[in-house]
Structures are given as structure tokens and as C-alpha cells.
Amino acid sequence: MSEPIIKTDHLVIGAGIAGLSIALKLAARGSVTIVVKNSLEESNTWYAQGGIASVLDPTDSFESHVSDTMVAGAGLCHEDIVRLVVSEGPRLVRELADFGARFDAGKDGAWHLTREGGHSHRRIIHSRDVTGRVVAEALISKVKGNQNIRILEGHTAIDLVTTDKVAPDFSQNSCLGAWFFDRALRRVIRISSSMTFLCTGGHGKLYLYTSNPDNATGDGLAIGWRAGCRVANLEFMQFHPTCLFHPKAKNFLISEAVRGEGGILKDMRGRPFMDDYHPMGSLAPRDIVARAIDTELKKTGDQHVWLDVRSLEAHRIKSSFPNIYEMCLKHGIDMTTDMIPVVPAAHYSCGGIVTDSRARTNVERLYAVGEVACTGLHGANRLASNSLLEAMVFADRAATDAAMRGDLAGLPEVDVGWTNVDQPAPDEQVVLTHSWDEIRRVMWNYVGIVRSEHRLKRALARIENIRQEVDEYWWRNRVSNEVLEVRNLAAVAWLTVRSAMSRKESRGIHFMLDWPETSSAGKDTII
Ligand SMILES: Cc1cc2nc3c(=O)[nH]c(=O)nc-3n(C[C@H](O)[C@H](O)[C@H](O)COP(=O)(O)OP(=O)(O)OC[C@H]3O[C@@H](n4cnc5c(N)ncnc54)[C@H](O)[C@@H]3O)c2cc1C
């Protein structure tokens, strides 16, 4: 049975800052279809709190932003890409404001800038502590008002349609679109496109504790890899040092800006411990803070540490961090009078699908933009608030590049059906629930903040087993959202462990007990 087919010029998979920006920029050039697996409002972008790093203050400089980024990236940043991203930032921040994103202003009427860990200047433009939501709302309202953009919510991308798979005689592996699972009608559809943009975000759900929403399961990364994309630097998963520790608070992050504005980390006995680890104390780069907390927790057996902001005036806390204040209060913590219990959690993937300076992947007509991509900006560790910036810059570059390529004739017409539509409904759902849980525990325990050869070997053995079980399940059962996500998580887990095993050193956020030194030459890990 053939699946329904939609044709579009530009297929954008994912609607965070990357996907929404690309869609808006290409709508004047042809038909655009944006596809998301949940609603437009469910993305990492939506939950971003702190803001966007950019040089907007006359006393700041590109050189300084470049240097802070390179220091954080621990010798793996690609300097040409860092310079490009930093210098294009201010223009694109202004464009975002023109699209309707309202950023906070200071007393002088100019944009108010905060400072975050690792930055040597105030350069984070923000909208209170809900920057991501404000940015996403502005872009979503523009996208919804555009006649050339069709929006499909509730559709999960399954795999890309590539010539290697469906027309192997074609000269160069090219993307022809993708298959999607329509969650409401429980059927597979195919979207055929001239250009495809993977903008599916990150994969925090690979770990037991994460700041990411439930849909961050690394789908785009796994999909790209299965289609033949090169992936790089997956060992560099950034753990955010301060997620709220509370049994009922799922994935809630206490923004870096809270430390930027004076929050101090303390152990359970109330002792500020960060000065033992770094001259910048609580404002040290986040990998150092996360590792310090991990060390303190392992040393003491405590379950969390405290973040103390009580020295700030109550009205300032409430006006600067209204969202965090409300969420803490909901869980019985008044941050103006109580310390906040916090733990580290998986937050941001510095690695991803390898792209060039135009956001192209090694598969023709396929771009990867945003957290799913590895552009060379972050190296071995991302500087805070550089990710929304990176997504904006590469969305702009991808759209410009795709628009210049015009109408690319000459793609083969293919007639390919989805094969397992008629499979029976799943009979052993437990395989999926078990694998989902096991992957996340294995990754947390063996591939977490501190790693060792021994732990990684254990992780690899377990993940290979899970992959095999999920694969068997995949071929025997009808497609479902659950199997898609677990299949992708298992693939990303495997890639991450393989990446981590091949790095015989400690660098940036990859810390190996057996290889504590950083080698003199930095090299990307490419699979
Ligand atoms: C709590 C939190 C706070 C953060 N704060 C900041 C900050 O202050 N500053 C900063 O720079 N960065 C921050 N980050 C990181 C930043 O938000 C992300 O890196 C960025 O938003 C990623 O944007 P994106 O467009 O690449 O992906 P996302 O915004 O994650 O969007 C991904 C999209 O892909 C869709 N999708 C995924 N899989 C599929 C599939 N199989 N089929 C169809 N659609 C799919 C999703 O539904 C979603 O629409 C934060 C992240 C979190 C989680």
C-alpha cells in the first residue's frame, strides 16, 4: 500500500528557533512545510530562559566574545566559524526584535544585558527569564500568518528518503524528503521536497536527569546518521549545573543568570565550595561547576547542593526571574528567603551532524541547523547562551544558501512505499518501556559527568544489546511514536559511547578518569 504524499519546495523538520527562522526566510522563495512531532510550542527553544549572547554593548567587542567562546571550547572551536557567528549576531538579534520578540530594556532605554558564566562582559539579551518563549511566540505568530507556510503538528519524522535508499544508481546521495508518522491517524505519510532542513534539536532525554522537554530524543541526529550524514563530537554533552532538585519538578532549570546576578553555590552545611575549584567561584564555566557539584555530591553522599540568592533584594529576584520564582514557590521554596536545592542534569549537545559554514551536510540537499548540528562553534564545551545565537546565524545562512540554489531539477522521481504499515499492533510494549528506562540509566551512570574506560565498555555492551532488541521489535511491529523515539535514543546512545571511547584524553566537558590530561593537539571525533 502506498502512503499519502505531500509535495513541497522546502521541508523543515522541527520548529524551534532554527526551523521557524528558516521557514520564515524561505517562504518568499517557494512553498514551505514545517513538520513537528508535538505542537509548535514544545521545543527546547520554548524553555530557554537566560537569553542570547551577542555583542550589543559599546564597551564589549567581537574579539572578547570570540575569545570567551574559544576558551570555553577548550581547543576544539573552529575559529573561522566562531568569528562568523559572533559577528553576525547583532544583526540577527535586531532582526528577531523586528519579528516581534520584545527584549528587556534597562533604565537608559537600551537593551538590558546580563552576564553568564564564562562571559567576560554583560552580553546576554533576554526577556526576563522566559527568553525562549518570547522568541518562539514571535516567530510562531509570523509563521502562522504566512500563506506560503503549511504547518503539520503531531507528525514524527521517521527517516529521510535518500537516493542511496530508493535510487541507488543516482550519482550522489541526495535527500528527496522524509517519511513521517501521523500520530492522530496512525499512518505513515511521505513528504517530497527539493530541500530538506533537519532542525530537530537536541537529545537531553538520553539521560535520566535532563533540563530538556520530553521530545528531545535525538531523532534528527539518528535520522541524519542513518541517511549517511557524518556526526561529530557527541561525547561533549553539557550538563547544566543547576536543575531544581524536587521529586515533583520535572526538567526545571535554574538559569545561569541567577548565578550571574549573585547566586552562590553552597554545600549542605552552608559552605560556599566553588572557590575551591575555580577563581571565578560560582561564576565559573558550567562544566567546572557541574563537575564540582558532582564531586561534592560523591564526596558527601548528599543528594543536592544549595543555590543561595538570598543576598539579592526580593523585588529584584521577582522582577528578574519571575518564572523561576513562581516555579520554586509552587514547590514550596521561596527563593527570596530559602536556598534552592539543585543538581546537575543533561542540558545541551555540543556535537551533532557535521555541517559546513552554509549549514550543508554531506548529503546533497540536506541541511542541519540548530542543536542537531555540529558547526564547529562550541568545540569541547558551549559558552552559555551561544546556542540560540548559533541557531539564528545558521538558519540565516542555510536559508540564504538554499534560496541561491534555486530550482534544482534532475532529481529522480521515486515511487516508494512504507513497508511495515500493515504489521500487527505491538504485542510486547514492555520492550520499549524497559529499553527507554535502561538507556537513560546506563547513560547517566556510565556516560555521565565523569567517565572511565571501564564504565564506557559496560555502557557499550548494554547499549548494543538494547539496540538489537529494539531493532527486532522495529521489524516485527507497526510503527508508533514510542518505537521511533526508543530506536533513535538507542542509536544516539551508541554513537555517544563510541565517540567517548575514541577520545583518549580529558577535554572540555569530556572528563575521563583514565586520561585526566588534555593532549596538545585537539581533534574532532567524527563518525
Ligand atoms: C531549559 C533550557 C534552557 C535553555 N536556555 C538557553 C539560553 O538561555 N540560551 C541559549 O542560547 N540556549 C539555551 N538553551 C538551549 C537552546 O534552547 C537550544 O539549544 C535551542 O533552542 C535549540 O533550538 P533548535 O531550533 O535547534 O531546536 P528545538 O528548539 O529543540 O526544536 C526542535 C524541534 O524539532 C521537533 N522535532 C524533534 N524531533 C522530531 C521529529 N522526529 N519529527 C518532527 N519534529 C521533530 C520538535 O518538536 C521541535 O519543534 C536552553 C535549553 C533548555 C532545555
Side-chain angles (χ1 to χ4, degrees):
M1 189 175 81
S2 272
E3 69 281 320
I5 301 172
I6 294 172
K7 292 196 178 201
T8 187
D9 295 324
H10 307 290
L11 168 61
V12 180
I13 309 177
I17 187 169
L20 292 167
S21 307
I22 291 174
L24 276 179
K25 288 170 187 230
L26 282 173
R29 301 291 184 145
S31 58
V32 177
T33 304
I34 302 186
V35 193
V36 289
K37 73 172 160 179
N38 308 98
S39 68
L40 288 182
E41 288 80 15
E42 192 63 5
S43 63
N44 276 10
T45 300
W46 187 269
Y47 294 100
Q49 295 177 348
I52 306 175
S54 192
V55 177
L56 299 160
D57 182 290
T59 63
D60 194 3
S61 69
F62 287 158
E63 259 336 293
S64 164
H65 191 179
V66 167
S67 158
D68 291 345
T69 302
M70 307 266 299
V71 169
L76 276 198
C77 298
H78 297 199
E79 189 172 344
D80 53 335
I81 295 294
V82 178
R83 291 193 176 280
L84 183 153
V85 171
V86 163
S87 62
E88 299 208 352
R91 171 177 69 84
L92 291 166
V93 166
R94 288 188 189 99
E95 185 184 81
L96 210 46
D98 290 342
F99 282 153
R102 294 176 74 98
F103 298 114
D104 287 2
K107 286 198 183 95
D108 57 359
W111 279 327
H112 178 259
L113 304 171
T114 56
R115 185 175 163 197
E116 294 185 338
H119 286 275
S120 51
H121 271 85
R122 283 186 170 260
R123 62 168 75 100
I124 318 299
I125 185 163
H126 64 107
S127 204
R128 289 156 294 138
D129 57 352
V130 287
T131 309
R133 196 170 81 206
V134 167
V135 165
E137 277 172 346
L139 294 173
I140 289 170
S141 101
K142 283 262 168 207
V143 158
K144 281 188 171 164
N146 195 305
Q147 300 271 327
N148 273 358
I149 303 177
R150 159 192 224 147
I151 300 165
L152 286 181
E153 293 178 300
H155 284 69
T156 307
I158 304 174
D159 267 317
L160 297 171
V161 183
T162 56
T163 52
D164 267 9
K165 283 183 208 154
V166 300
D169 293 339
F170 196 71
S171 55
Q172 193 178 4
N173 190 19
S174 305
C175 183
L176 309 174
W179 284 287
F180 293 86
F181 176 58
D182 174 343
R183 296 172 67 176
L185 298 178
R186 306 198 69 74
R187 61 174 187 174
V188 174
I189 67 163
R190 175 154 65 93
I191 302 186
S192 140
S193 56
S194 290
M195 294 291 177
T196 302
F197 302 83
L198 273 177
C199 307
T200 47
H203 51 263
K205 288 307 263 190
L206 197 56
Y207 288 86
L208 193 57
Y209 300 111
T210 178
S211 65
N212 291 192
D214 286 347
N215 65 4
T217 50
D219 297 358
L221 183 61
I223 287 170
W225 179 62
R226 285 195 293 268
C229 289
R230 299 191 312 152
V231 300
N233 292 353
L234 290 174
E235 63 274 36
F236 299 115
M237 167 58 80
Q238 188 169 64
F239 289 81
H240 196 287
T242 53
C243 275
L244 181 60
F245 179 82
H246 190 281
K248 294 206 173 124
K250 206 174 159 202
N251 313 339
F252 191 73
L253 185 110
I254 309 293
S255 162
E256 194 110 6
V258 174
R259 284 184 289 126
E261 294 300 306
I264 302 289
L265 285 160
K266 296 183 173 173
D267 67 16
M268 292 299 278
R269 284 140 289 278
R271 189 182 74 89
F273 57 86
M274 273 312 300
D275 290 339
D276 300 349
Y277 294 89
H278 196 273
M280 289 173 90
S282 291
L283 260 183
R286 56 175 64 161
D287 62 311
I288 294 178
V289 181
R291 209 155 50 236
I293 298 177
D294 192 61
T295 307
E296 288 291 316
L297 296 182
K298 291 219 163 81
K299 208 163 63 184
T300 57
D302 294 332
Q303 285 195 295
H304 64 82
V305 294
W306 298 113
L307 181 58
D308 188 355
V309 282
R310 293 173 301 175
S311 62
L312 291 185
E313 291 154 346
H315 75 87
R316 218 172 117 209
I317 293 179
K318 289 181 196 169
S319 64
S320 300
F321 309 112
N323 181 36
I324 298 174
Y325 176 75
E326 280 306 320
M327 181 57 95
C328 285
L329 210 54
K330 210 170 108 189
H331 292 100
I333 305 153
D334 180 344
M335 61 193 270
T336 62
T337 53
D338 303 324
M339 292 194 281
I340 310 167
V342 291
V343 281
H347 182 56
Y348 181 83
S349 169
C350 298
I353 296 174
V354 177
T355 56
D356 66 12
S357 62
R358 298 163 296 186
R360 292 186 187 190
T361 70
N362 58 301
V363 174
E364 262 296 289
R365 298 163 187 256
L366 178 68
Y367 295 81
V369 184
E371 194 169 334
V372 72
C374 181
T375 64
L377 175 72
H378 308 301
N381 190 10
R382 172 190 70 133
L383 184 67
S385 288
N386 262 358
S387 43
L388 291 171
L389 172 70
E390 179 194 45
M392 269 174 13
V393 170
F394 281 95
D396 188 62
R397 296 185 73 80
T400 306
D401 188 64
M404 281 188 340
R405 291 169 90 179
D407 174 34
L408 292 173
L411 278 182
E413 275 293 325
V414 292
D415 180 20
V416 278
W418 186 255
T419 46
N420 74 351
V421 172
D422 299 324
Q423 297 285 66
D427 57 350
E428 292 224 331
Q429 193 80 5
V430 67
V431 173
L432 299 184
T433 45
H434 176 87
S435 303
W436 170 267
D437 193 54
E438 195 180 348
I439 293 169
R440 300 180 66 218
R441 280 181 194 279
V442 166
M443 293 301 288
W444 183 258
N445 290 327
Y446 299 147
V447 200
I449 297 173
V450 175
R451 298 156 181 183
S452 71
E453 291 273 349
H454 199 60
R455 289 181 196 166
L456 292 178
K457 273 190 198 142
R458 274 193 199 139
L460 188 67
R462 288 198 174 45
I463 298 293
E464 282 184 339
N465 257 337
I466 296 172
R467 280 194 78 199
Q468 201 180 332
E469 278 178 23
V470 173
D471 219 44
E472 279 167 21
Y473 183 99
W474 168 255
W475 290 111
R476 279 195 299 112
N477 292 282
R478 194 181 291 173
V479 67
S480 67
N481 209 56
E482 291 76 16
V483 69
L484 291 172
E485 291 191 336
V486 173
R487 178 179 179 238
N488 292 331
L489 272 185
V492 175
W494 185 81
L495 287 166
T496 305
V497 178
R498 286 279 312 280
S499 262
M501 287 179 105
S502 58
R503 186 167 290 283
K504 307 288 184 207
E505 61 167 348
S506 290
R507 182 185 290 276
I509 39 185
H510 174 69
F511 188 77
M512 285 285 281
L513 287 172
D514 322 71
W515 312 91
E517 305 299 326
T518 303
S519 56
S520 52
K523 220 171 117 209
D524 292 326
T525 314
I526 298 183
I527 302 184

